[in-house]
Amino acid sequence: MIITKSKVPEKILEMTKPYKRIFIVGCGTCSTACQTGGEEQVKEMAERLGVKVIGKAVVESPCDLRLVKRDLGGSRQLLEEADALLILSCGAGAQALAEHTGKIIIPGLDTVFVGEIERIGRFYERCRACADCVIYETGGICPVVRCSKGLLNGPCGGMANGKCEASGHTRDCAWVLIYNALKKQGRLDLFAKFRPPMDRSKKAQPQEVVNR
Amino acid sequence: MPREAYSELMKAIAAGKFVFTGEIQPKKAAHFDDVIRVAKVLKGHVVACNVTDNPRAHAYLSSLSAAHIIQREVGMEAICQMTVRDRNRLALLSELLGAAALGIRNVLTMSGDHTSLSDNPGAMPVYDLDTAQFVYMVRRMVDEGVDLEGNKIEGKVKLHVGIVGNPNADPLEVELLKIERKLKVGADFMQTQVVFDVEKAKGFLRGVRGYPVPILLGILPCRSYGVAEFIAKNAPGMSVPEDFMEELRKAEEVEDNSRRKSRIEDVNVRYFADFIREVKRTTHASGIHIMAVGYEGVVKALVESVSK
Ligand code: SF4
Ligand code: SF4
């Protein structure tokens, strides 16, 4: 899931200020799950902005151009008339909408990470899309993003009582979690294994996957 | 076959001497005055001196430049600390080449305190390599004359690569496995984080017994009761023995300034001399790393008291 946070209202008001006709687009997938860009949040946002809002829609997945075309097909006229689009989705969705409409785009959310939802209000970063997944060797726990330093051969000297220095020793050190998981699985040899430097060129941005 | 010793530190260890190293912490300063002053205080009492690299992720005068200056101006051998926090593999390599070319022979690899502790907390933490990979890179440079990708380096790279161990780590087994990993990659020496409790130090040394690497235990003489109390309260996992704290507290009751200072020095020398004698007598440690930043004066008295 792509985890998003709502921008503060003042920030949104500042960006929407110059425009008279605004169309709001939400996201029916991740932002709905995060309660940042679902039907309800789109409706609330429309109420907050009042008369400026000439239309609104929730696209199943705004990051999928096919679904954008499908779900916004009926709003063509209103989108045409809008000065700007206020998007309640992740940055990928907002950009797909920019590409599709050519309109001025106002991001209403901040995209924070790829993560896991425990329940509403509890979201945890779990993957940085490093393009070289190692979690088979690390007990199903990602060292790239769950270790504050992204170390492949942890822990660092900042670990104390199983906790991580970067959190002021409040959050579990990922490498202690990895140790515990591997120990339970009887695979501690993988813990002691030396992992060579990552090939960062796999992450040269922007990445593309073009198969045909 | 043991590796060739390029530095005074490694030569002394190879000769079976029990060694002492000191520590210099450059400041946020555009001059070397303090660095040179402290190096002069330590000279003659320690075989080499660590030069810290932006501790607590605060940006200070560069460790490489300070390491060079103390070697050239004071004749004090440097152990140049280098973190992987602030430099990617290109910058690390280039810094190592500079160090080798300047005659620096000891490099201590560290991951570096996280930027969340920084005085510039908005900084980007790099961590392109971790310390095990950093050790691996130095090994390739020294042993094969190439960089990580196998590109040839001109001239022989004469560097010893050190690692840091933490006797206070809990769970300790995680720390020991990590150390083992780095030693297999090829670290030349290990210095430890501060340990006060001699039993804890001995326990740690037992844990790394099987590893054929010289180890220098880190100690931290305290210039005041406040320093000891701060460590006891704020350094996670580190315990400061009650009796040592109590003696410091009593020493601070002395009103006369210079008498008080000498009482405090006595307390430190007595405590750490006992510690060192016990380590020398019962363990395979190769020496002691004295982290007396801001309290360098004690080093001479301490080293002399255990060398008698
Ligand atoms: S190692 Fe971590 S960041 Fe990389 S792909 Fe796997 S989960 Fe994602
Ligand atoms: S304490 Fe653990 S999680 Fe935190 S930076 Fe160090 S190794 Fe990573």
Side-chain angles (χ1 to χ4, degrees):
Chain A
M1 197 64 59
I2 310 282
I3 310 300
T4 47
K5 284 204 279 202
S6 306
K7 280 187 183 286
V8 291
E10 299 80 65
K11 189 85 197 170
I12 292 173
L13 289 177
E14 188 191 311
M15 288 187 287
T16 52
K17 200 166 172 202
Y19 309 109
K20 294 203 173 64
R21 294 178 301 274
I22 287 172
F23 192 98
I24 305 176
V25 184
C27 158
T29 311
C30 301
S31 307
T32 291
C34 292
Q35 298 192 350
T36 51
E39 291 284 355
E40 210 170 303
Q41 293 78 37
V42 166
K43 192 166 149 249
E44 276 168 23
M45 185 60 77
E47 279 161 14
R48 188 174 301 140
L49 295 177
V51 290
K52 278 185 163 193
V53 179
I54 61 167
K56 55 185 171 24
V58 172
V59 174
E60 184 184 333
S61 296
C63 56
D64 186 336
L65 270 176
R66 298 163 305 174
L67 299 178
V68 169
K69 283 177 194 153
R70 186 193 75 190
D71 293 353
L72 291 183
S75 312
R76 205 166 290 150
Q77 187 62 35
L78 286 170
L79 284 167
E80 198 67 21
E81 286 168 23
D83 301 327
L85 269 49
L86 172 58
I87 317 294
L88 303 185
S89 81
C90 74
Q95 288 178 63
L97 288 160
E99 194 180 324
H100 178 68
T101 63
K103 290 285 173 179
I104 290 169
I105 296 293
I106 300 169
L109 307 182
D110 289 318
T111 308
V112 280
F113 52 77
V114 178
E116 167 187 307
I117 303 178
E118 188 182 284
R119 57 178 164 84
I120 290 304
R122 283 183 184 270
F123 309 101
Y124 300 98
E125 186 167 21
R126 288 295 179 257
C127 174
R128 186 155 286 171
C130 75
D132 194 3
C133 197
V134 299
I135 66 171
Y136 168 71
E137 291 188 359
T138 54
I141 294 160
C142 169
V144 174
V145 80
R146 294 177 71 176
C147 163
S148 297
K149 299 178 184 175
L151 311 176
L152 289 188
N153 297 285
C156 72
M159 182 275 287
N161 304 323
K163 305 287 180 186
C164 171
E165 100 188 343
S167 64
H169 298 105
T170 56
R171 196 175 48 231
D172 290 329
C173 164
W175 275 98
V176 173
L177 296 178
I178 291 170
Y179 169 82
N180 291 336
L182 289 174
K183 191 171 181 181
K184 215 164 149 189
Q185 296 167 358
R187 302 199 298 159
L188 268 186
D189 52 316
L190 285 171
F191 185 91
K193 177 183 164 187
F194 169 67
R195 272 163 280 272
M198 262 198 163
D199 176 4
R200 310 275 177 194
S201 72
K202 289 185 178 155
K203 275 301 281 179
Q205 63 188 37
Q207 286 285 303
E208 293 175 358
V209 177
V210 182
N211 293 329
R212 54 192 165 104
Chain B
M1 198 183 74
R3 298 185 188 111
E4 189 182 342
Y6 303 123
S7 67
E8 294 309 315
L9 170 71
M10 294 306 284
K11 280 179 195 159
I13 292 171
K17 289 194 186 126
F18 191 83
V19 297
F20 294 93
T21 53
E23 183 147 310
I24 294 182
Q25 189 173 312
K27 296 183 178 158
K28 216 183 263 299
H31 57 74
F32 290 114
D33 299 357
D34 300 294
V35 166
I36 291 174
R37 182 183 54 76
V38 174
K40 283 182 175 160
V41 174
L42 295 173
K43 177 143 197 216
H45 311 298
V46 295
V47 62
C49 199
N50 287 38
V51 182
T52 58
D53 178 21
N54 297 342
R56 294 198 70 76
H58 290 221
Y60 299 129
L61 178 76
S62 89
S63 60
L64 176 58
S65 68
H68 172 55
I69 283 295
I70 62 164
Q71 292 204 159
R72 199 189 66 185
E73 302 288 308
V74 187
M76 161 71 78
E77 179 167 293
I79 299 167
C80 186
Q81 298 192 354
M82 250 184 234
T83 75
V84 294
R85 178 197 54 228
D86 305 331
R87 308 170 187 87
N88 68 7
R89 65 192 79 178
L90 299 176
L92 288 171
L93 180 83
S94 141
E95 191 108 326
L96 287 169
L97 292 176
L102 286 169
I104 289 161
R105 296 289 171 250
N106 312 296
V107 173
L108 184 70
T109 58
M110 310 173 96
S111 63
D113 297 321
H114 193 262
T115 47
S116 59
L117 308 169
S118 177
D119 60 349
N120 283 262
M124 162 108 157
V126 180
Y127 303 113
D128 176 26
L129 301 185
D130 60 33
T131 43
Q133 296 161 349
F134 190 11
V135 171
Y136 173 70
M137 181 168 85
V138 179
R139 277 269 67 84
R140 294 208 67 183
M141 293 172 73
V142 175
D143 299 345
E144 302 170 51
V146 296
D147 68 11
L148 276 173
E149 294 288 335
N151 300 303
K152 188 121 191 51
I153 294 166
E154 213 182 289
K156 183 146 179 54
V157 181
K158 294 181 181 172
L159 286 172
H160 295 292
V161 58
I163 59 170
V164 180
N166 184 7
N168 309 299
D170 178 22
L172 186 61
E173 201 198 342
V174 179
E175 177 73 10
L176 295 177
L177 285 171
K178 173 192 82 175
I179 291 171
E180 185 180 341
R181 195 202 275 136
K182 285 194 212 179
L183 294 177
K184 279 195 181 134
V185 173
D188 291 309
F189 65 96
M190 171 158 70
Q191 290 176 310
T192 78
Q193 291 185 14
V194 171
V195 56
F196 282 91
D197 186 341
V198 77
E199 289 309 318
K200 197 180 237 185
K202 284 159 79 173
F204 174 76
L205 287 163
R206 270 195 299 277
V208 292
R209 242 228 105 87
Y211 310 157
V213 66
I215 299 167
L216 279 70
L217 285 174
I219 62 166
L220 192 151
C222 300
R223 67 170 180 276
S224 66
Y225 173 76
V227 170
E229 192 188 29
F230 183 85
I231 293 165
K233 282 199 177 136
N234 297 295
M238 216 181 283
S239 57
V240 185
E242 293 281 332
D243 49 344
F244 175 60
M245 301 255 296
E246 180 58 22
E247 280 197 51
L248 279 176
R249 203 188 51 71
K250 273 199 232 138
E252 285 204 343
E253 282 169 4
V254 175
E255 278 195 11
D256 178 72
N257 230 333
S258 75
R259 276 190 52 223
R260 183 172 62 243
K261 275 194 185 148
S262 91
R263 268 288 298 275
I264 291 175
E265 184 170 305
D266 287 347
V267 170
N268 275 291
V269 169
R270 216 176 321 129
Y271 182 81
F272 288 107
D274 283 349
F275 179 102
I276 293 167
R277 279 193 207 100
E278 177 73 6
V279 166
K280 267 174 117 169
R281 198 171 59 79
T282 61
T283 79
H284 67 294
S286 299
I288 298 287
H289 176 52
I290 311 170
M291 288 176 250
V293 173
Y295 191 33
E296 294 81 11
V298 77
V299 173
K300 177 175 188 275
L302 179 60
V303 171
E304 280 174 358
S305 94
V306 290
S307 305
K308 271 185 249 165

